[in-house]
Amino acid sequence: IGFDAFGIHSENYALAVGTNPAQLIPRNIDTFRRQLRRFGGMFDWRHELSTTDPAYYKWTQWLFLQLFKANLAYKKRAAVNWCPKDKTVLANEQVINGRCERCDTPVEQRLLDQWFFRITDYAERLLRNLDAVDWSESTLALQRNWIGRSEGAELVFKTPAGQAITVFTTRPDTVFGATYLVLAPEHPLVETLTAGEQRATVRAYQREVQARDVVARRVGEKVKTGVFLGSYARNPATGESIPVWIADYVLMEYGTGAIMAVPAHDDRDHEFATQFRLPIRQAVNVAGEALPSVSEDGVLVNSGQFDGLSCREGAKRIVAWLAEQHVATPKVQYRIHDWCISRQRYWGPPIPIIYCDRCGPVPVPERDLPVLLPPIEDFRPDDSGVSPLARHTEWYNVPCPQCGGAGRRETDVSDTFLDSSWYYLRYPSTEFADRPFDPARTKTWLPVTSYIGGNEHAVLHLLYSRFITMVLKDQGHLAFEEPFPKLRAHGLIVKDGAKMSKSRGNVVIPDAYIKQWGADTFRMYLMFLGPFQEGGDFRDEGITGVRRFLEKVWTLAHEAAGPEPHGQGDALPEAVERKLHQTVRKVTGDTASLNYNTAIAAMMEYVNVIREHGAGTRNAVRPLVLLLAPYAPHLAEELWTVLGGGGGSVFDERWPAYDERLAQAGDVEIAVQVNGKLRARLQLPRGASQDDVVTRALADAGVKKFVDGNPVKKIVYVQDRLVNLVV
RNA sequence: GCUCGGGUGGCGGAACGGCAGACGCGCUGGCCUUAGGAGCCAGUGCCCGCAAGGGCGUGGGAGUUCGAGUCUCCCCCCGAGCACCA
């Protein structure tokens, strides 16, 4: 078990209540521990960890150093969301409709130097491996979506002065229709491509875009804006001179930060061209009607020697043709970006780098880890745009580890997703102070047998963990590269049809329910109210059914423990014995496949059968208590003792076995259909022959009526289940 | 717009292509009670019918099949994720 309490959310909470997180977090963890124990959660508390513990984050910093050494960590200037009122960096999730979630101030973007991990180097592997893992389809889809692979080509458009503008396109087949180019406003070529008379206009537009925040730029107004640079480039396919623009619908972060615009075949380009009256080379059919945009199953027209080819074939040939002229390269592009791990905050592990004027960025030697987060009072972020740690010269002024000269610590801390990207590797090895994870322990326990989490982790946590595991494998620290070969996402428990949230006030606090109903009732109700992987609606009324069930079990066990009216050790009535074996079979399977709701329903059915037959004997109830143990551990443990147990805990007992023959014994009910409609039911011994069943069926009055003397044309017989007479 | 889930009684939800609605909540009637917000028994998809019985039913429409909630195609609605990704 572990607790992950670094990060902006913990820090913001600490700021809100005015207490240093270093004091606050241990108190909150105590509460979690108490709730988890009270709930009946069974964890190996000997192997507890906390990501805020220096003994843990020492190895988080070690992890950073491994990536740094492998050239998978680098620093670059990147935009962050900045709230000018709160004077702080915001995560994307903290920006709501372009405004700060706390003070509603419009958010701006600021450019800061930040540390990144080259997760994009692993994009192909992260995507490919998904074919081989046992994960739920929904999670796979989210992750594939996030990685966002696109196949296409990079094409080069040259200016008269010989400058090359490289664009990425998934539709090289449409290059003959490219009538202008658009660069992202931040594109490095903008400066040199801007004509003198356009300089002021371009500058103004760049400033306007920069004032907008990162989120609003992406999801905000869809009205297209942009300006002409005053220069031209040559379409490599047609040789035409076409104008070069900048517009913020082109993003510097994707592809090359530049596109060829094909207004006839791309809706966005079409909108832009219409708005700025740019030429649209509309493709038409023989009747002169405009052809639809986007379509990938069309045939090339207005494309010189490539006319008549399918789009797919045309794309291939055109790229090959342009490649001969060195102006095209086939290219696979990914949506995923490198992982920015810098946080200009206090509450996280300091990034273990020391800057030296002579040596540049120098990694902290491993023997000097951990770089301790200093206990400071003024941890509130300020308007400087740097971490609060940057106010503490006594902390950041250190000698350079390489040359001994004056050095300065990195004052940013790392993303909390880095903390959680490797915790499962630490779990079995918590007692080792001199290594992050012990090889022998790791071999025994990892990779994770069965990983369960919410879909909110489908992209970030799961992607980062997979990436880190791959890196560690490539460096020889691990023998596997997928940390979670089997993963299931639990659903969300909602309340009153909505996600629980403090602001909405529809929160279920476990303590109150446990007090009223008991821990076993509460946890079992959570399992019963819907399919585990879909979640469900928590309604107070539903909980009584589970409570009543557990009371019935309690009563049965105490009656069975008393003097036996039917005599101890007696065989169970046949119907009860059969149901027992069916129940063990069902609960065993459903528990393994996480179908907890139907496992509980099966136990309820079994209790109903015992009660119908007045068969509440030890032989009937003891196996039930074993089945119940993972679901209602407190009650099961007590009832096991009441029933004489084996002298020890119910959890030391073997899981009950079932006998397939006994589960199947007895009569079966066979459905009789006439022309596919149910007309009768027959009680027959299991294994009856088709002839017997048909004879019995035709003798049935209800069946006769619908056969009505007609010849039976066809008989469909499913052993022990159904017969269908087609007349 | 793209990608995933979903759509079944009054409600939460069950159903290897083979008896739709298991289990639970709620509701109705009865028993027991000074009492019932406890417990026990019976009933409870909708329509017709005193009943026996019959008809109709898994968002809508087509199809495959002896047989479709389940498979195929088209459409509608709800939820989630991504989203000016070229």
Side-chain angles (χ1 to χ4, degrees):
Chain A
I1 186 73
F3 299 93
D4 182 20
F6 263 143
I8 292 174
H9 290 93
S10 297
E11 188 183 300
N12 282 349
Y13 178 62
L15 286 166
V17 301
T19 308
N20 193 295
Q23 274 96 58
L24 199 60
I25 296 304
R27 292 213 299 268
N28 286 349
I29 288 179
D30 283 343
T31 303
F32 282 128
R33 263 198 218 101
R34 186 177 53 72
Q35 285 179 330
L36 287 167
R37 286 177 197 269
R38 199 168 176 213
F39 194 81
M42 288 181 238
F43 304 101
D44 186 349
W45 293 100
R46 295 167 304 176
H47 285 168
E48 182 186 339
L49 64 78
S50 175
T51 58
T52 59
D53 182 347
Y56 181 88
Y57 72 69
K58 167 182 181 174
W59 299 111
T60 306
Q61 292 169 336
W62 172 86
L63 199 54
F64 176 92
L65 295 180
Q66 305 316 302
L67 278 106
F68 182 83
K69 278 190 279 186
N71 191 29
L72 290 168
Y74 66 99
K75 213 167 188 194
K76 80 168 178 197
R77 188 163 280 262
V80 293
N81 301 300
W82 178 261
C83 172
K85 177 151 178 289
D86 286 350
K87 303 187 190 314
T88 179
V89 169
L90 301 174
N92 280 352
E93 301 79 42
Q94 294 175 297
V95 181
I96 313 292
N97 294 327
R99 291 167 179 274
C100 172
E101 70 169 358
R102 282 190 291 169
C103 64
D104 210 36
T105 307
V107 169
E108 301 169 353
Q109 43 174 319
R110 263 199 188 191
L111 290 172
L112 299 175
D113 288 326
Q114 320 212 51
W115 284 98
F116 286 82
F117 284 167
R118 294 186 205 277
I119 193 170
T120 50
D121 283 7
Y122 284 73
E124 188 62 42
R125 204 158 143 200
L126 287 165
L127 186 68
R128 188 164 21 89
N129 279 11
L130 289 177
D131 295 337
V133 294
D134 175 17
W135 288 18
S136 34
E137 199 48 50
S138 57
T139 315
L140 287 173
L142 287 170
Q143 194 144 124
R144 289 195 178 109
N145 231 323
W146 188 267
I147 296 169
R149 184 180 195 275
S150 296
E151 274 183 42
E154 285 188 350
L155 307 181
V156 179
F157 290 65
K158 287 191 177 134
T159 65
Q163 284 166 305
I165 303 173
T166 305
V167 306
F168 173 72
T169 177
T170 54
R171 297 292 305 276
D173 52 305
T174 64
V175 65
F176 282 84
T179 50
Y180 60 101
L181 294 180
V182 188
L183 310 191
E186 313 88 327
H187 198 289
L189 284 177
V190 171
E191 181 70 23
T192 51
L193 288 173
T194 303
E197 71 277 10
Q198 286 294 89
R199 202 150 290 267
T201 317
V202 168
R203 282 271 163 75
Y205 181 68
Q206 285 177 315
R207 270 198 299 274
E208 181 193 322
V209 170
Q210 205 196 331
R212 241 173 278 168
D213 70 280
V214 179
V215 176
R217 167 123 177 240
R218 284 207 290 258
V219 292
E221 298 289 308
K222 301 282 162 120
V223 177
K224 300 246 176 328
T225 60
V227 295
F228 178 41
L229 291 183
S231 60
Y232 296 82
R234 191 176 154 275
N235 181 323
T238 64
E240 285 170 298
S241 184
I242 59 175
V244 183
W245 286 61
I246 57 172
D248 77 342
Y249 82 93
V250 174
L251 308 172
M252 195 60 225
E253 312 92 76
Y254 187 76
T256 61
I259 63 157
M260 64 174 197
V262 186
H265 292 288
D266 183 282
D267 293 337
R268 297 154 303 186
D269 296 343
H270 190 272
E271 192 190 324
F272 189 80
T274 308
Q275 190 167 332
F276 293 99
R277 299 173 198 283
L278 287 158
I280 299 170
R281 180 155 310 141
Q282 185 60 58
V284 294
N285 64 15
V286 285
E289 294 157 338
L291 293 170
S293 62
V294 186
S295 167
E296 279 180 19
D297 46 10
V299 170
L300 266 59
V301 295
N302 300 341
S303 298
Q305 69 268 43
F306 302 99
D307 279 0
L309 291 174
S310 70
C311 287
R312 186 177 293 269
E313 185 60 25
K316 250 188 266 173
R317 300 264 194 97
I318 288 173
V319 171
W321 173 59
L322 294 176
E324 284 169 20
Q325 306 161 47
H326 308 289
V327 286
T329 325
K331 170 89 180 174
V332 175
Q333 194 58 243
Y334 299 91
R335 206 195 66 93
I336 189 175
H337 297 134
D338 276 344
W339 174 14
C340 175
I341 61 136
S342 290
R343 296 293 180 270
Q344 296 73 37
R345 288 289 197 138
Y346 167 66
W347 191 234
I351 292 171
I353 289 286
I354 294 168
Y355 298 99
C356 168
D357 286 343
R358 221 172 314 163
C359 313
V362 179
V364 173
E366 287 182 22
R367 62 171 186 279
D368 292 344
L369 296 181
V371 178
L372 289 171
L373 183 66
I376 60 172
E377 287 306 310
D378 55 333
F379 60 92
R380 186 173 289 275
D382 62 19
D383 64 351
S384 60
V386 294
S387 162
L389 292 174
R391 298 193 290 258
H392 288 262
T393 52
E394 79 286 358
W395 180 78
Y396 69 67
N397 278 332
V398 286
C400 167
Q402 238 166 58
C403 70
R408 187 184 196 277
R409 283 195 192 283
E410 168 65 65
T411 53
D412 283 358
V413 299
S414 61
D415 181 8
T416 192
F417 276 110
L418 184 59
D419 305 321
S420 59
S421 71
W422 74 281
Y423 76 93
Y424 47 90
L425 298 174
R426 183 65 179 168
Y427 270 179
S429 301
T430 46
E431 73 268 42
F432 296 100
D434 62 342
R435 66 201 93 160
F437 38 86
D438 178 68
R441 288 284 175 82
T442 302
K443 191 160 185 253
T444 305
W445 288 95
L446 288 153
V448 176
T449 312
S450 175
Y451 200 46
I452 289 169
N455 251 339
E456 71 272 21
H457 289 134
V459 280
L460 303 177
H461 167 61
L462 287 172
L463 208 53
Y464 296 150
S465 298
R466 295 180 61 219
F467 164 62
I468 291 294
T469 302
M470 283 177 192
V471 171
L472 289 171
K473 191 210 173 202
D474 289 351
Q475 297 185 8
H477 294 292
L478 294 174
F480 53 91
E481 65 180 46
E482 283 297 333
F484 315 122
K486 177 180 172 181
L487 173 122
R488 293 293 177 274
H490 64 243
L492 200 63
I493 305 283
V494 298
K495 183 83 198 293
D496 310 320
K499 191 173 168 177
M500 293 185 204
S501 78
K502 268 195 291 185
S503 58
R504 213 181 267 113
N506 60 343
V507 184
V508 171
I509 313 269
D511 300 69
Y513 283 85
I514 289 173
K515 191 163 179 223
Q516 187 181 353
W517 298 98
D520 286 344
T521 302
F522 180 66
R523 54 184 278 150
M524 208 159 156
Y525 175 57
L526 289 177
M527 293 185 263
F528 184 61
L529 63 76
F532 180 79
Q533 299 190 50
E534 287 169 34
D537 199 15
F538 189 102
R539 295 168 312 126
D540 287 1
E541 313 90 72
I543 203 169
T544 56
V546 172
R547 172 74 194 197
R548 288 208 272 254
F549 165 71
L550 291 177
E551 280 172 2
K552 284 175 192 167
V553 176
W554 190 91
T555 306
L556 279 178
H558 281 80
E559 284 169 3
E564 286 279 353
H566 309 292
Q568 284 291 343
D570 273 2
L572 299 173
E574 197 192 327
V576 176
E577 182 172 60
R578 183 162 61 243
K579 190 68 180 177
L580 169 62
H581 286 272
Q582 290 169 349
T583 303
V584 173
R585 182 175 61 188
K586 176 84 174 152
V587 173
T588 302
D590 283 357
T591 302
S593 58
L594 311 179
N595 294 116
Y596 300 143
N597 56 333
T598 49
I600 292 168
M603 288 188 270
M604 288 173 167
E605 282 186 55
Y606 179 54
V607 164
N608 291 344
V609 170
I610 293 178
R611 284 158 56 90
E612 274 165 35
H613 289 80
T617 60
R618 271 172 218 240
N619 289 343
V621 180
R622 281 172 63 114
L624 172 64
V625 170
L626 292 171
L627 295 178
L628 193 61
Y631 291 87
H634 306 92
L635 183 75
E637 188 74 307
E638 179 180 336
L639 296 184
W640 189 248
T641 307
V642 166
L643 288 167
S649 165
V650 67
F651 295 102
D652 292 329
E653 295 295 325
R654 290 196 74 81
W655 185 253
Y658 65 92
D659 184 328
E660 188 62 42
R661 286 198 329 276
L662 291 173
Q664 288 190 359
D667 288 353
V668 288
E669 195 179 69
I670 296 178
V672 181
Q673 297 178 337
V674 179
N675 291 338
K677 290 214 173 214
L678 179 71
R679 295 304 177 186
R681 290 171 179 152
L682 298 175
Q683 286 288 337
L684 287 172
R686 187 175 291 271
S689 73
Q690 176 175 333
D691 286 350
D692 283 356
V693 174
V694 171
T695 310
R696 286 276 306 273
L698 286 170
D700 185 280
V703 174
K704 252 185 204 157
K705 191 165 108 190
F706 287 94
V707 173
D708 198 21
N710 293 311
V712 176
K713 283 187 285 200
K714 181 171 180 180
I715 295 167
V716 180
Y717 181 65
V718 183
Q719 181 76 52
D720 295 333
R721 292 192 73 97
L722 164 143
V723 63
N724 186 13
L725 306 172
V726 184
V727 297

